[in-house]
């Protein structure tokens, strides 16, 4: 049953740039007020201003999603400033790629912390409001790397982990009309992949061209391709879709 909402409040982590920024803008265009969280509040300004310029409501907050206290304060600030958050997009992410024999403890721990601990802390904090509202949406960013990718033992492990996390949240919170789904992007042209191009010692342009040749639809993805999927998962229309992983990669993945 969909009782028509007044204005939903969403939180998007890592929303200063890239995929997170596109999702934040898209959810605002869909009619939601958006808490724009990233490491530094200053960095959120462009996303917040773009949303406000388009007539939406947004609040920028600096918080590290791996830090429990900062997560608690950030979610509280959204609740105070915009209203009870019932939509959460766990998007904040980093890469620390290296072949296993060169991967440091720090490379491993930081990637696990940002993706897994970050999604856990944010979801635990936001579900209180979702349960209270008896409605909610949790969307977490997985990746095609969950299926295995050279140089990414840490990242592949956490992106697969987020799929298990998603399915479990879907089971535990389904009774409150809370759905949880994961989006697994393929190659999306963002700053995150610039460092991958550098590591492979090719220009970003060459890297994009090479990637596009391997993708069935013949192009790399754009942040808006992911925002389209997030928009559906955060909408009223997806209320019977939960615990799913949608590969948005320009071609079939497992
Ligand atoms: P990006 O590097 O452009 O943006 C990530 C954002 O997360 C940055 O603004 C960064 O400051 C923020 N962030 C990092 N650590 C944080 C922390 N501890 N707390 C709060 N914010 C933090 O990356 P992107 O390409 O837009 O990727 C977004 C998400 O999509 C990530 O989870 C990534 O793993 C996933 N993804 C990206 C691709 C791709 O091809 N770009 C593919 C698959 C999955």
């Amino acid at each position: 049953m969909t009782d028509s909402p007044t204005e939903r409040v969403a939180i998007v982590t890592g929303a200063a740039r890239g995929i997170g920024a596109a999702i934040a803008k898209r959810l605002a265009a869909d009619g939601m007020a958006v808490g724009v969280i990233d490491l530094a509040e200053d960095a959120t300004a462009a996303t917040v201003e773009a949303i406000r310029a388009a007539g939406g409501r947004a609040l920028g907050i600096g918080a590290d999603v791996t830090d429990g206290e900062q997560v608690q304060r950030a979610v509280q600030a959204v609740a105070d400033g915009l209203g009870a958050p019932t939509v959460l997009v766990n998007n904040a992410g980093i890469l620390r790629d290296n072949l296993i024999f060169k991967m440091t403890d720090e490379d491993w721990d930081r990637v696990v912390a940002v993706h897994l601990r970050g999604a856990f802390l944010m979801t635990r904090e936001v579900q209180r409001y979702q349960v209270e509202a008896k409605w909610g949406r949790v969307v977490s960013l997985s990746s095609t790397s969950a299926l295995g990718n050279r140089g990414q033992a840490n990242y592949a492990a956490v992106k697969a982990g987020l799929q298990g996390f998603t399915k479990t949240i879907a089971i535990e919170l389904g009774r409150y009309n809370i759905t949880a789904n994961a989006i697994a992007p393929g190659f999306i042209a963002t700053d995150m992949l610039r460092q991958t191009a550098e590591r492979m010692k090719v220009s970003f342009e060459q890297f994009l061209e090479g990637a596009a040749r391997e993708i069935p639809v013949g192009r790399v993805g754009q942040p808006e391709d992911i925002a389209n999927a997030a928009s559906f998962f955060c909408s009223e229309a997806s209320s019977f879709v939960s615990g799913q992983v949608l590969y948005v990669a320009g071609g079939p993945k497992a």
Side-chain angles (χ1 to χ4, degrees):
M1 212 172 45
T2 51
D3 36 298
S4 208
T6 42
E7 186 190 43
R8 303 277 191 209
V9 176
I11 289 179
V12 184
T13 66
R17 67 179 200 187
I19 293 170
I23 293 174
K25 289 184 235 177
R26 176 58 188 269
L27 296 184
D30 290 346
M32 296 180 196
V34 185
V36 176
I37 294 181
D38 211 293
L39 281 171
E41 187 185 328
D42 288 0
T44 65
T47 306
V48 168
E49 274 154 30
I51 290 172
R52 289 184 183 156
R57 287 205 303 144
L59 186 63
I61 296 159
D64 180 340
V65 296
T66 69
D67 181 310
E69 244 173 65
Q70 293 185 37
V71 164
Q72 210 185 347
R73 262 191 276 127
V75 174
Q76 185 68 52
V78 172
D80 293 344
L82 297 174
T86 53
V87 174
L88 171 64
V89 181
N90 290 310
N91 167 83
I94 57 165
L95 293 177
R96 292 286 185 274
D97 293 355
N98 237 326
L99 294 173
I100 187 76
F101 75 96
K102 285 195 277 191
M103 188 172 283
T104 66
D105 293 12
E106 161 68 11
D107 291 336
W108 178 269
D109 290 344
R110 192 63 195 157
V111 168
V112 170
V114 174
H115 296 267
L116 284 181
R117 182 177 164 82
F120 159 63
L121 292 176
M122 286 298 309
T123 306
R124 188 177 60 182
E125 204 55 31
V126 171
Q127 58 82 34
R128 297 191 294 116
Y129 296 94
Q130 298 175 321
V131 168
E132 170 81 22
K134 296 202 169 49
W135 189 91
R137 299 282 184 266
V138 180
V139 176
S140 298
L141 271 289
S142 178
S143 166
T144 51
S145 294
L147 303 169
N149 199 22
R150 189 180 169 80
Q152 293 194 318
N154 51 1
Y155 187 78
V158 299
K159 290 309 197 186
L162 281 169
Q163 296 189 9
F165 177 76
T166 293
K167 288 172 191 288
T168 302
I169 297 304
I171 291 167
E172 290 187 14
L173 300 183
R175 70 177 68 177
Y176 303 106
N177 288 316
I178 298 166
T179 66
N181 291 286
I183 300 171
F187 192 113
I188 311 298
T190 69
D191 289 333
M192 181 177 262
L193 295 184
R194 284 184 188 275
Q195 45 179 297
T196 309
E198 275 166 31
R199 186 170 57 88
M200 296 172 90
K201 299 187 175 30
V202 292
S203 73
F204 193 47
E205 288 63 36
Q206 283 173 314
F207 189 49
L208 295 183
E209 277 171 32
R213 276 196 295 275
E214 303 295 316
I215 297 172
V217 301
R219 67 170 177 90
V220 299
Q222 296 301 324
E224 290 71 25
D225 291 310
I226 306 308
N228 286 334
S231 170
F232 171 67
F233 282 137
C234 294
S235 72
E236 309 299 321
S238 64
S239 58
F240 204 55
V241 182
S242 195
Q244 301 305 301
V245 180
L246 181 63
Y247 284 86
V248 182
K253 297 285 170 185

